[in-house]
Structure formats: C-alpha cells, structure tokens
Amino acid sequence: MRRLIVGNWKMNGTSSDLDEIRAIAASAQQYPSVDSAVCLPATLIDRSTRAVDAFPIGGQDCHMQNSGAHTGCVSADMLLDAGATLTIVGHSERRAAQHETDEDIRAKATAAHAAGLKVIVCVGETLDEREAGSALDVVLGQLGRSLPDGAAGIWLSVAYEPVWAIGTGRVAETADVAEMHEAIRTALVNRFGEDGRVIRILYGGSMNGDNAAQLLAVENVDGGLIGGASLTAAKFEPILAAAEATSE
Ligand code: PEP
C-alpha cells in the first residue's frame, strides 16, 4: 500500500503563501513512492492548483448538499470546480466547534465521493474518553456511523486523530496507535470485506519530522494527516522522506 501524507493548513494561508505551496509541491516530487496532498482554505484552492504542477490540493470540509441556501458553506462540487481532488471531512475541530455529528460527516463523505473527490474521514477520542478507557468504543462508534455504506477502495482514507494530540505536541504512544489502527482495520474488513484492506488509515496528531518514522513504522499506519508541520516545505519534507523510507 502506498503511503499517503496529507497536510491540513486549517485556517491559515493567503496568496502570500503560494510560494510555500509551490515549495511543498516541489519537495513532494522528490518522493515518488509517496502519495501526498495539502488541504487548504477554500479561498486558496483555485490559485494553488494553478500555481503547482500535478500536486493534489484538497479542501478541509464540504457541505452535504450540492447547492442551496447554506450561507458561508462550500459544496463538494465547488471544491472540485476550484481544482481540488480530495477533501477532509469530520475533523475534530469541526466536530467540536461546528457541532458536526457522525451522521453529518457520513452525508458529507457521500456527497464528496459522489462529486468525484477522494475523502479523508477523521475520527478520534478526547482525553477524557481515553482516560475513561473508552477510546476504542468511541472511535469505532464514530467510524461505523461516519462511513457511508459501500465505502471502500482507494478513494477513502480514515484518519485516526486523538483530539488531545492535535496541535499539542503530545503524540499518542506507539502501542496505543497500533491497537487503535488494528481495531480500525478489523472494523473496516468486517464491514467491507477485502475492500476494507485498501482503505488507508492515517495517524494525525503532532506528527513531525522527528517522530514520523516511528509512527509510520507501526502496523496499519498507512500515512499521516499533518497540521502544524505541513505549513512549510522545510517541516513537511522530512515527513515525506520518512514515508518514502518506510514505503513497501
Ligand atoms: C490536524 O489538524 O489534523 C493535525 C493533526 O494537527 P497537528 O499535526 O498540528 O497536530
């Protein structure tokens, strides 16, 4: 399975960052065994896809409807029209701040796939949930409700992102990552059969150039979703290098 390394710029970036996006795209070309992409603010997608050559640019969310009275929202068709080839849905920051439910995320994933986008569905437990011993139950519950029926194949990835590890510098223990990714793989295979084996499972949460090799060496960690360390080519490239080095 090819590794997938995806940057999530969150609410960062303006046209003054186009050179940085070009630099990220250029460094990605040095790692041909790795699939990579950067998910940008919707306002930057069109200009970025024109600025780079054959480097995938994604959105960070989409609405479940194609069009209509949804002020401020962006549909999957609009992302595609702007040049995006993928989108994240269900990031924990949206689950928390925009009160998105698993059912919303499932509808968004369905809409994004129907539009022709690749989709990364995020799941992850809070610190309270981990400390209460319910991390597996929480994540597998989110997974079951957030993935559309018939979801299978290379167009879909799952990102396991423990909420307490996002943007905190605190990385999940290798053993906990291994346990969670194995549980997610088992759930995918139980639900989708052999097709569940080709769904890439990404780890997200303070991944950087120093810890990427260790995380990517864990069984069933097929790539990474990276926030802070994706904002510059200098920080992103070591992660791509680690992914290339651990590619099968
Ligand atoms: C994220 O936003 O998905 C993320 C993993 O952020 P960070 O790498 O900064 O923890």
Side-chain angles (χ1 to χ4, degrees), residues 26-230:
S27 59
Q29 284 186 342
Q30 296 175 49
Y31 304 101
S33 308
V34 179
D35 292 336
S36 54
V38 174
C39 293
L40 297 174
T43 47
L44 259 187
I45 292 173
D46 177 52
R47 268 179 292 184
S48 300
T49 56
R50 292 169 200 268
V52 299
D53 187 22
F55 178 70
I57 301 289
Q60 301 169 7
D61 174 53
C62 67
H63 199 274
M64 55 282 271
Q65 304 291 331
N66 276 336
S67 61
H70 304 289
T71 303
C73 298
V74 173
S75 74
D77 281 352
M78 290 169 179
L79 291 179
L80 192 79
D81 182 54
T85 56
L86 72 151
T87 190
I88 297 167
V89 295
H91 192 284
S92 60
E93 288 158 10
R94 294 196 61 84
R95 287 177 182 264
Q98 271 72 38
H99 312 292
E100 292 188 0
T101 66
D102 293 324
E103 290 69 28
D104 293 335
I105 292 153
R106 178 189 176 111
K108 288 172 179 227
T110 303
H113 179 48
L117 296 171
K118 293 184 177 140
V119 184
I120 300 170
V121 175
C122 300
V123 291
E125 82 285 0
T126 63
L127 189 57
D128 282 353
E129 289 163 343
R130 175 148 293 271
E131 288 178 347
S134 56
L136 278 170
D137 284 349
V138 167
V139 169
L140 295 180
Q142 289 176 343
L143 187 75
R145 292 183 296 271
S146 302
L147 294 185
D149 285 333
I154 202 73
W155 65 270
L156 177 71
S157 302
V158 171
Y160 166 57
E161 300 202 299
V163 176
W164 45 273
I166 296 179
T168 58
R170 188 173 165 190
V171 182
E173 298 291 334
T174 304
D176 292 336
V177 175
E179 179 186 44
M180 188 63 80
H181 280 238
E182 186 185 357
I184 292 172
R185 175 68 66 211
T186 300
L188 293 173
V189 171
N190 285 345
R191 182 156 166 197
F192 303 119
E194 286 306 298
D195 288 345
R197 293 196 194 283
V198 299
I199 297 173
R200 287 182 284 199
I201 309 173
L202 316 182
Y203 169 81
S206 297
M207 189 185 272
N208 59 39
D210 294 332
N211 59 31
Q214 191 184 349
L215 287 162
L216 292 167
V218 175
E219 185 82 14
N220 289 308
V221 175
D222 307 311
L225 183 56
I226 294 108
S230 72

